[in-house]
Amino acid sequence: MRVRIALSAFAAVTVAGLGLAAAVPAVAASASAPQVTAVQAADGLNVHREKFMTLNGCQTAGQQGIDRGHWDRYQCAEGNAWPWVWNLWTNR
């Protein structure tokens, strides 16, 4: 019982520490970094929809959008922000 409580407390402290450590540099970087404007893709996929953790999740959402008539084409592009690594781009 003590081991379970100790592990739970350790996990909570670790997650909280990682969350705070990741948030502080992001805030500091956004305050000092210059603004970057988005450039439209040459193939017309210029609407950013959502970010996904898996390629499969991005592809599923893209195909469902086509099936429902929300857009005609989509692309899942790899991103650089952890943990969201796949960006869904559509034509409308």
Side-chain angles (χ1 to χ4, degrees):
M1 187 69 156
R2 288 183 188 174
V3 173
R4 185 181 298 170
I5 293 171
L7 288 176
S8 297
F10 176 73
V13 169
T14 303
V15 169
L18 290 175
L20 292 176
V24 172
V27 171
S30 66
S32 63
Q35 295 293 330
V36 178
T37 58
V39 178
Q40 293 182 354
D43 56 359
L45 299 175
N46 55 5
V47 180
H48 183 260
R49 293 291 173 178
E50 196 171 345
K51 295 182 180 186
F52 296 88
M53 288 183 70
T54 63
L55 176 60
N56 187 34
C58 181
Q59 291 172 336
T60 300
Q63 188 58 48
Q64 286 177 350
I66 290 176
D67 295 343
R68 295 175 182 161
H70 296 299
W71 50 78
D72 301 321
R73 295 181 299 127
Y74 74 91
Q75 177 183 2
C76 293
E78 191 170 359
N80 57 2
W82 186 89
W84 310 108
V85 294
W86 294 99
N87 296 298
L88 176 60
W89 292 89
T90 66
N91 65 326
R92 55 183 165 135

